[in-house]
Amino acid sequence: MTEQITLAELIRQHQEKTGDSYSQIAIRSGLSKAKIGQLAAAGQPHMPRIDTIEKLASGLRLPLHIVQQAAMASAGILPESYSEDQEIDLIVAQLRELSPDQLATAARLIQALRHG
């Protein structure tokens, strides 16, 4: 089974990709900067409220199901039917954010990897 991505990892990956600060994520999500920091801290298992998960999905510009899966992983919940496609879902969500030129570059890279 593929290891699940936690909220902390999801937020960190988003920041690495976009350069967004906690403040920028907070503004888009409607959550406080402190709440974003709390969610990004890899501490004790904790399951955020559904409205928090929905707001975070908006702030990270990711589909809700990806953030829900990360929240479950953060809470230590390992569903029996965990989708090993979580990472693929995350990549697809990130590809949807690319400009047409960036998407064309990504397509060429994927083609090179498939044939190399």
Side-chain angles (χ1 to χ4, degrees), residues 9-67:
E9 293 164 337
L10 200 62
I11 293 169
R12 179 188 49 76
Q13 287 177 3
H14 174 81
Q15 288 184 298
E16 288 175 359
K17 176 184 163 260
T18 65
D20 283 352
S21 66
Y22 287 172
S23 294
Q24 292 166 308
I25 297 168
I27 289 168
R28 277 196 309 275
S29 68
L31 298 168
S32 70
K33 177 182 169 184
K35 185 64 174 180
I36 301 298
Q38 179 187 21
L39 294 170
Q44 296 288 359
H46 172 73
M47 182 63 151
R49 294 179 0 185
I50 187 62
D51 63 315
T52 300
I53 295 169
E54 290 170 347
K55 289 177 180 180
L56 183 60
S58 176
L60 296 176
R61 296 182 179 130
L62 289 173
L64 179 59
H65 75 277
I66 290 174
V67 181

Side-chain angles (χ1 to χ4, degrees), residues 1-6 9-10 65-74 76-90:
M1 177 181 355
T2 304
E3 187 174 323
Q4 291 180 292
I5 298 170
T6 64
E9 293 164 337
L10 200 62
H65 75 277
I66 290 174
V67 181
Q68 286 172 325
Q69 287 176 346
M72 289 174 58
S74 296
I77 300 169
L78 303 174
E80 290 178 26
S81 62
Y82 171 69
S83 169
E84 292 190 9
D85 292 335
Q86 183 185 18
E87 290 181 9
I88 293 171
D89 289 345
L90 183 57

